[in-house]
Amino acid sequence: MVGWVVAGNAGETVATGTLVYFDATDQEWKKVDTDTSTTYVRVPVGITQGAGTNGNSIGGGGVLIAGRDTTQTGLTLGDDYYAGSSAGVLSTTESGLLIGRAGDSATELYVWPVLNPTFLNNTWTGTNIFSGNLYTVILSIRAIGNNESSSSR
């Protein structure tokens, strides 16, 4: 693994290579579930580099936020991987959250999560309705990008 890894505690049992989000309320990493927008919209996401259990630290250094992940198996070279419909699982089926692209082997994933607001628009009902609008989301992304650009100069 090469990239940004943060240490942290699991909020439930997670295996190595699980897709997780940071729950700011509990200060723990939990499995991303595409049926619940709060698990991947406006929250940090990443891939566990080791296993962990509820309330205990995640092994392997923690969670890879961006970079090269080598904890996966069975990837198809060059395919894009998204948050899957099962909690904590990656999928090649397009969802609102692109996680990354498979690299040079079946175990290598280049992780750089990207939220696709146009895909998400009008996809939820009930308590999970996307309440923002595309213009607001684009402005937020631009503001984040501008802050990162200016700080790296």
Side-chain angles (χ1 to χ4, degrees), residues 13-18 31 48 50-52:
T13 299
V14 294
T16 301
T18 301
K31 295 175 187 174
T48 58

Side-chain angles (χ1 to χ4, degrees), residues 21 33-42 115 117 119-132:
Y21 75 99
D33 181 353
T34 57
D35 293 330
T36 307
S37 63
T38 57
T39 70
Y40 67 98
V41 175
R42 296 182 180 156
L115 183 63
F119 186 87
L120 299 177
N121 197 23
N122 300 322
T123 58
W124 299 308
T125 59
T127 58
N128 290 328
I129 293 172
F130 180 67
S131 59

Side-chain angles (χ1 to χ4, degrees), residues 29-92:
W29 292 90
K30 299 177 181 178
K31 295 175 187 174
V32 168
D33 181 353
T34 57
D35 293 330
T36 307
S37 63
T38 57
T39 70
Y40 67 98
V41 175
R42 296 182 180 156
V43 294
V45 297
I47 306 284
T48 58
Q49 298 302 289
T53 56
N54 190 14
N56 296 303
S57 60
I58 297 170
V63 177
L64 177 73
I65 303 300
R68 187 173 67 102
D69 174 43
T70 57
T71 66
Q72 305 301 314
T73 60
L75 301 177
T76 302
L77 280 60
D79 277 4
D80 288 334
Y81 283 83
Y82 301 85
S85 59
S86 298
V89 176
L90 297 172
S91 172
T92 55

Side-chain angles (χ1 to χ4, degrees), residues 90-142:
L90 297 172
S91 172
T92 55
T93 302
E94 188 173 355
S95 71
L97 181 61
L98 172 65
I99 301 303
R101 178 169 287 170
D104 296 328
S105 75
T107 62
E108 182 178 69
L109 181 72
Y110 289 98
V111 176
W112 196 266
V114 177
L115 183 63
N116 180 351
T118 57
F119 186 87
L120 299 177
N121 197 23
N122 300 322
T123 58
W124 299 308
T125 59
T127 58
N128 290 328
I129 293 172
F130 180 67
S131 59
N133 63 51
L134 181 58
Y135 181 72
T136 303
V137 172
I138 290 171
L139 289 179
S140 298
I141 292 169
R142 285 183 181 161

